[in-house]
Amino acid sequence: VGMIPAAVLHRAVAQDVDDGALLSLNVAGQTLRLPLRINDGLGAGLVALPKGLAGIPPAIFGQTVDGLQEAAQ
């Protein structure tokens, strides 16, 4: 069974969005919609994104993420 690509955030960054909810965020000029996975082992303020997934810019290290919110269903 393969893993579903997701945006991984620390609980403090995820705010009131629940684990597994669809998340919308902007990075490197692109809007991404991915399920949220909360991982308190990730540093607060960091976002982990799946590398190599279609639509995710290849050079995202150090990029600013904004517009972080639960996506409208």
Side-chain angles (χ1 to χ4, degrees):
V1 176
M3 291 187 62
I4 297 172
V8 181
L9 303 173
H10 187 277
R11 186 174 317 281
V13 177
Q15 300 167 9
D16 294 329
V17 182
D18 293 326
D19 190 61
L22 187 60
L23 195 65
S24 175
L25 55 107
N26 302 314
V27 61
Q30 294 192 37
T31 299
L32 306 174
R33 291 171 53 106
L34 294 165
L36 169 64
R37 295 290 173 248
I38 293 175
N39 183 331
D40 291 336
L42 186 66
L46 299 178
V47 177
L49 298 171
K51 184 176 178 182
L53 186 67
I56 298 201
I60 58 173
F61 181 77
Q63 294 291 322
T64 300
V65 171
D66 61 13
L68 186 68
Q69 63 186 7
E70 189 166 359
Q73 298 287 329

